[in-house]
Amino acid sequence: FTTEEHIAVCLEERPAVVSFHWNEIATRHIERLKAGGVRVWWQVGCLKEARAAVAAGVDALIVQGSEAGGPNRSVASVMTLVPAVR
């Protein structure tokens, strides 16, 4: 889970994009990254997460459907989730 130290390293290394998944990210982390010139993406698995990410100010959403592999909390297939999020 994201800590202040993670954000500090990202700001020091200045990657083009930082992508988050699984836990909700504090708005202050997103604001710090964006102020440092880093784009922020957030992987979401439901409409509620998508709304929270947009409200927090992310630059892009990665919509993961329930058919995806790996850690996955999605509640719908990507074919139904993408139109709902859009």
Side-chain angles (χ1 to χ4, degrees):
F1 295 95
T2 307
T3 67
E4 296 294 334
E5 290 79 14
H6 294 139
I7 302 303
V9 168
C10 289
L11 289 169
E12 183 178 318
E13 296 296 325
R14 299 200 38 128
V17 173
V18 171
S19 178
F20 293 100
H21 171 61
W22 202 260
N23 63 314
E24 198 165 312
I25 307 306
T27 302
R28 72 182 183 282
H29 293 326
I30 294 168
E31 290 170 350
R32 283 183 62 206
L33 289 166
K34 289 179 72 170
V38 178
R39 282 180 250 136
V40 179
W41 296 3
W42 191 341
Q43 184 172 315
V44 299
C46 68
L47 191 54
K48 180 181 176 183
E49 284 183 327
R51 286 182 175 141
V54 169
V58 299
D59 297 299
L61 298 177
I62 303 165
V63 180
Q64 181 184 42
S66 58
E67 66 274 40
N72 188 334
R73 296 187 311 189
S74 185
V75 298
S77 73
V78 75
M79 295 301 286
T80 58
L81 191 54
V82 168
V85 169
R86 186 176 158 269

